Amino acid sequence: AVVSTQSTGGIVHMMACIFLGISYFVANYHRIALRYNPAKKMAISWKAFYHFYLLALLICSGLGIWSDGVMYCFHLFHIATLFDLLRRVIQGATIHVDQLLVCAPFAVIITYIYAIIYFYFFRDMFNPEKMEYCQTLGQCLVTVLKNSLRPSSGGHNYSWTGRKEFSDLWMRLLIDASFWILFTIIGLNVVTSLILDGFRQLKAERERALKDMTTLCTVCGLSKDHLTSNGISWSSHVDRDHNMWSYITFFFYLQEHTGKFSAVENEVLQKFNKADPSFLPNGRCIAIDTKLDLENTL
């Protein structure tokens, strides 16, 4: 009875994950682009991190049925999507994920080189009682990787069993110091700098977006200084001429309306479904156009 209940709960959980993915793609299918197109600024790349996150949710949900619910712990990460602060933290840490993935093979190569050195010259110094294994090259590699991720070890802090002579100290100093410089100082600092640079870039983008919200018109992109220099009130322009919410209401009307459309409405709807923003008055507003027309007439 318990197994049946777990299976039923697992199926319900998987259906919820499927529904989450379907609802996302139904809402954004017209924005997902297989190829990057600069003209479609509202498009979403198919390689977006959220797409792989949804796939991981579904896979872990399916594996949870056959793992007594152990894999369901991955879905706790979904809490982060409910809070803007946590979303920005994750986004900042993964903004350079492609560069971080490139660094990973080099870290493995460095540890593999040291594993070969230990295996062929110092395998007898490892102490299995302290979980130091080097009977095979694979065991050496795992041991080196394990000790490489210990920040308190100060390098490869092995037992060096049977090597207590002063002459062995120079070799140990050379190995530990070189690994500490290559892996700990250079390697880990490169990873840390990439993550911090991601947060700095995210902060700069947020500050630029906040500045644009107060100095640039969301609809036409004209600056506040340009409008005021032409005798147009900024508050009147963003509240009446190019009210952002009026455009959003119009887009919602086009998507929900079931009757016939006019020629203009039909053209705007087609471009909107193709994520083509050319129907927006980019760099133009009727007040400036009217002023220019009057000046040309006079």
Side-chain angles (χ1 to χ4, degrees):
V2 176
V3 176
S4 178
T5 303
Q6 290 179 351
S7 300
T8 303
I11 294 174
V12 173
H13 190 276
M14 181 180 290
M15 294 300 296
C17 292
I18 294 175
F19 176 77
L20 178 65
I22 292 177
S23 61
Y24 170 80
F25 285 104
V26 168
N28 299 279
Y29 75 94
H30 60 284
R31 298 174 58 196
I32 299 175
L34 297 179
R35 295 182 179 179
Y36 175 72
N37 186 357
K40 295 184 177 181
K41 297 182 179 181
M42 295 184 291
I44 302 176
S45 173
W46 69 271
K47 296 184 293 184
F49 175 78
Y50 193 72
H51 298 165
F52 295 98
Y53 167 73
L54 292 175
L55 180 61
L57 284 181
L58 180 60
I59 294 175
C60 290
S61 180
L63 294 176
I65 300 176
W66 293 279
S67 62
D68 295 331
V70 175
M71 298 301 297
Y72 291 146
C73 62
F74 175 79
H75 296 81
L76 294 175
F77 283 111
H78 195 63
I79 298 176
T81 64
L82 305 178
F83 300 94
D84 181 66
L85 179 60
L86 292 177
R87 284 200 304 268
R88 284 189 277 116
V89 169
I90 296 176
Q91 184 180 0
T94 58
I95 196 170
H96 294 308
V97 65
D98 52 342
Q99 300 179 30
L100 293 173
L101 291 177
V102 172
C103 294
F106 288 97
V108 175
I109 290 174
I110 292 175
T111 55
Y112 182 71
I113 292 174
Y114 279 86
I116 293 176
I117 295 174
Y118 282 124
F119 178 71
Y120 283 101
F121 298 104
F122 308 104
R123 75 176 76 175
D124 57 330
M125 74 174 190
F126 288 84
N127 187 2
E129 295 180 358
K130 295 184 178 180
M131 298 187 68
E132 300 173 357
Y133 303 97
C134 197
Q135 297 301 317
T136 64
L137 183 59
Q139 291 181 359
C140 267
L141 178 61
V142 174
T143 303
V144 173
L145 283 172
K146 188 263 294 184
N147 284 274
S148 301
L149 301 177
R150 294 171 57 189
S152 61
S153 63
H156 286 174
N157 192 16
Y158 300 117
S159 301
W160 286 76
T161 304
R163 290 178 178 267
K164 303 299 182 181
E165 300 294 333
F166 183 78
S167 58
D168 296 324
L169 180 62
W170 294 103
M171 185 59 65
R172 181 172 183 177
L173 176 62
L174 177 62
I175 294 176
D176 286 356
S178 61
F179 185 88
W180 182 64
I181 293 173
L182 291 175
F183 193 90
T184 306
I185 294 183
I186 299 178
L188 294 183
N189 283 339
V190 167
V191 173
T192 304
S193 63
L194 287 175
I195 295 176
L196 293 178
D197 183 68
F199 283 109
R200 285 193 293 267
Q201 181 177 341
L202 193 63
K203 180 182 178 181
E205 292 177 355
R206 182 177 177 84
E207 292 177 349
R208 184 168 59 252
L210 292 175
K211 181 180 179 181
D212 291 344
M213 289 175 62
T214 56
T215 60
L216 293 178
C217 176
T218 306
V219 178
C220 66
L222 294 176
S223 65
K224 181 178 181 180
D225 294 337
H226 180 72
L227 291 171
T228 53
S229 63
N230 284 274
I232 301 173
S233 171
W234 168 256
S235 59
S236 176
H237 176 79
V238 297
D239 292 338
R240 185 186 61 188
D241 298 341
H242 286 169
N243 189 298
M244 177 182 64
W245 298 109
S246 298
Y247 278 83
I248 293 176
T249 303
F250 178 61
F251 296 150
F252 183 79
Y253 160 77
L254 294 178
Q255 291 181 315
E256 297 296 326
H257 185 62
T258 57
K260 294 183 179 180
F261 292 110
S262 64
V264 174
E265 292 174 341
N266 189 46
E267 182 180 0
V268 171
L269 180 60
Q270 290 180 359
K271 292 185 177 181
F272 180 80
N273 290 333
K274 295 178 181 179
D276 181 7
S278 60
F279 60 88
L280 294 173
N282 186 22
R284 299 177 56 192
C285 73
I286 192 171
I288 293 181
D289 291 346
T290 302
K291 180 182 177 180
L292 292 177
D293 291 339
L294 290 176
E295 292 177 353
N296 293 332
T297 302
L298 298 176

